[in-house]
Amino acid sequence: MSDSSSLPPVRLHSEAQLARDALAAPLLSRAARLARWAGPGTRVDAGGELAEEQLPGAAGVLGLSGDDAAALTGEAWRVAVDTGLVEVVDEEEGTVTQGEDLALLTSGGPQDVLGIWLGALDVVLADATVPDLGDLVDALGEGEEIDLSSLDWDPEAESEFLDGVLGNLYLLTVGEDALGGVAVPLPALAASMILPDDMGEPTDDVLEQVSDAMMRLDDQFRLLEPVGLVDYQPVDEALMADGAEEPAPVDDMDVSRYGVVRLTPLGLYGLRARLIEAGFAAPAVGELTDKGADTLLDGTAGFPPTAAQAEIEQWLARREPLAAARELLFAARGADAGAPLRRLHCQQALALVGTEAEPALREVLDDAELGGLARVWLSERGAADVPPPSEAMVFWLTIDTVAAQLAAEGNSDELQALVEGLARQHSGFFDTAWRVGHPAASDVLEAMGRLHPDKKVAKEARKAAFKARSHQGA
């Protein structure tokens, strides 16, 4: 996927709701509590980490105890410092004060809160690509320098791997057009990074790589859950038990015991922000509401149906029905390659407009490009005095519809069924279709010849396509 790739549109919660989710994320909440606790007596070391003797007190403020208390407290403190909730006043003295950004969590707007949360996400993503602390200690050589070669750790490769995994999770989520997220088994996510697309039966070596990737991701998603990026069900500890231990009984059919991850609405927002920063086109439903109808129709051309309808509904909600209908119809005109799909989306948008728009549809009844869809709209609403379409208009609209379907779906099963139905229901269809003067007639007829299973009918379609090209050239 290149940086110029356009990703599927994402449906986001409101910024107000996302900001509430960010404030409720355990890690940012802990960081804010530590920032409010920090005072003249708080001390940090040269790296800005909380002094070791102050960790127990800070953990107590957070209500943490047990083996993980110090690590969780240290992580929350790093987030507080790196996001500006805490500022180091004097590095030599190790003194700190509350940062200016701390007040934004209570008095700032949703964008202020989300900006701080994105900073916290950056901190955690960086932490997630660092080796285990035990491995780091083992790698300390003489002179207290870390021997990275002994860790088999490439920081850049680790970061790229995690970015790739999160990118795939984003695609799986927006591809389902699911506002509430999609639960993805960890093995499938790991395999998406390891298995080549054209691989048949994976080899033992590849399966071992997938297993190793799963274990890495298990550790990383455990770190990423507290910041609110994902909901994560970890790998069942029984699967990682030492051979000397008696494993607990497990259900071999329960895929969830291998780990299941779901991108949260806040996580969807966060990954989209990172993708945009990296140069990707990552559209969101609602971005076109203040744009013209031409931008709306072109912009929703690649949207899944549910997302397209949501975008159109939001666009219509800001406009008077009659004015919206006129603007849509004007934007739907054109003889360019994208025009049939624009008219299809125009028709879908007009289906959401009430009878107040009727004057706009009557104004285009004599229009060669729009008269057919106008008649369809009026007839579906039981309007009176709708003139019957001419044969040429019927065939023009048919070619336009098939051209739009080709642009939207390619050679789909639904399109093949449509092609077969047209050839069966209209005798002499091809002999008439090439004469209607539609700019896409030759391409549509060529596609019909390619899609129709009957060789005789397919040949007729191809002959008609040749005539249409010759007619257009003349």
Side-chain angles (χ1 to χ4, degrees):
M1 185 168 61
S2 68
D3 289 358
S4 60
S5 300
S6 181
L7 299 170
V10 58
R11 301 176 66 194
L12 297 175
H13 284 178
S14 68
E15 286 189 342
Q17 179 59 56
L18 291 170
R20 288 192 289 270
D21 292 345
L23 291 171
L27 183 54
L28 184 57
S29 175
R30 291 173 190 155
R33 287 159 67 186
L34 287 182
R36 296 186 182 102
W37 163 79
T42 307
R43 291 292 180 272
V44 296
D45 61 22
E49 299 282 346
L50 201 58
E52 186 174 351
E53 67 270 14
Q54 297 204 323
L55 281 173
V61 170
L62 300 178
L64 298 174
S65 60
D67 296 339
D68 294 334
L72 293 173
T73 302
E75 182 182 34
W77 181 260
R78 281 196 303 279
V79 168
V81 173
D82 289 350
T83 58
L85 303 182
V86 170
E87 293 180 6
V88 177
V89 176
D90 189 321
E91 293 185 4
E92 291 186 3
E93 294 292 329
T95 54
V96 300
T97 187
Q98 292 180 355
E100 294 181 1
D101 287 350
L102 179 60
L104 295 177
L105 293 181
T106 53
S107 60
Q111 289 188 355
D112 297 318
V113 174
L114 290 170
I116 293 171
W117 179 83
L118 286 171
L121 178 61
D122 288 340
V123 175
V124 180
L125 287 172
D127 286 349
T129 59
V130 175
D132 179 79
L133 181 60
D135 294 337
L136 285 173
V137 172
D138 293 340
L140 281 173
E142 292 184 9
E144 301 254 324
E145 292 185 358
I146 296 176
D147 180 9
L148 293 180
S149 61
S150 69
L151 286 172
D152 189 24
W153 176 56
D154 181 340
E156 185 175 344
E158 286 293 327
S159 179
E160 287 180 358
F161 177 81
L162 183 56
D163 283 344
V165 167
L166 294 176
N168 285 350
L169 185 58
Y170 182 90
L171 285 173
L172 288 168
T173 303
V174 299
E176 291 292 332
D177 197 25
L179 193 60
V182 178
V184 180
L186 199 59
L189 201 53
S192 73
M193 296 297 296
I194 305 296
L195 267 62
D197 292 336
D198 56 353
M199 174 171 279
E201 189 71 21
T203 63
D204 289 343
D205 179 60
V206 169
L207 290 175
E208 185 175 351
Q209 292 180 51
V210 172
S211 179
D212 290 343
M214 280 176 54
M215 293 303 98
R216 287 159 63 194
L217 290 175
D218 181 63
D219 290 337
Q220 290 171 331
F221 283 130
R222 288 173 191 255
L223 283 174
L224 293 171
E225 185 174 34
V227 78
L229 185 75
V230 295
D231 291 326
Y232 182 56
Q233 179 178 328
V235 175
D236 190 338
E237 297 289 347
L239 296 172
M240 298 181 285
D242 294 334
E245 298 180 12
E246 184 69 26
V250 293
D251 180 2
D252 290 336
M253 300 301 292
D254 184 7
V255 178
S256 65
R257 67 190 182 98
Y258 293 93
V260 177
V261 62
R262 182 194 306 270
L263 199 58
T264 66
L266 181 61
L268 200 59
Y269 166 85
L271 291 189
R272 176 177 178 265
R274 290 175 61 82
L275 286 166
I276 291 173
E277 187 177 354
F280 290 91
V285 172
E287 288 185 321
L288 305 179
T289 54
D290 60 345
K291 304 293 191 296
D294 52 346
T295 303
L296 174 73
L297 297 181
D298 284 333
T300 54
F303 282 23
T306 306
Q309 180 168 331
E311 185 72 60
I312 291 168
E313 286 175 345
Q314 292 187 34
W315 188 89
L316 289 172
R318 292 193 172 194
R319 292 160 177 82
E320 293 296 326
L322 181 57
R326 285 180 172 137
E327 187 178 350
L328 286 165
L329 288 164
F330 182 81
R333 288 189 171 93
D336 57 285
L341 191 54
R342 282 203 307 277
R343 282 187 282 273
L344 178 62
H345 281 291
C346 174
Q347 197 167 3
Q348 293 168 344
L350 290 171
L352 304 174
V353 179
T355 55
E356 304 96 320
E358 182 173 335
L361 278 298
R362 289 195 178 275
E363 289 166 4
V364 298
L365 282 172
D366 294 330
D367 188 289
E369 296 176 350
L370 304 176
L373 70 83
R375 283 166 170 79
V376 171
W377 189 93
L378 291 166
S379 298
E380 287 177 345
R381 282 155 182 76
D385 301 323
V386 180
S390 64
E391 182 182 63
M393 182 173 284
V394 170
F395 277 83
W396 199 97
L397 181 60
T398 302
I399 294 293
D400 203 55
T401 301
V402 176
Q405 293 290 345
L406 271 172
E409 303 173 7
N411 300 333
S412 64
D413 292 340
E414 292 79 4
L415 184 57
Q416 181 173 342
L418 175 61
V419 166
E420 292 180 33
L422 288 171
R424 183 172 57 250
Q425 294 169 16
H426 299 276
S427 60
F429 175 84
F430 300 115
D431 190 48
T432 305
W434 71 265
R435 305 172 191 270
V436 299
H438 193 293
S442 58
D443 292 335
V444 167
L445 292 167
E446 188 70 41
M448 293 180 78
R450 187 173 60 249
L451 291 169
H452 204 289
D454 187 295
K455 291 183 178 180
K456 182 180 178 181
V457 175
K459 185 177 180 180
E460 289 180 24
R462 288 194 294 272
K463 287 174 62 178
F466 177 78
K467 293 178 180 178
R469 280 193 292 272
S470 300
H471 182 67
Q472 288 167 351

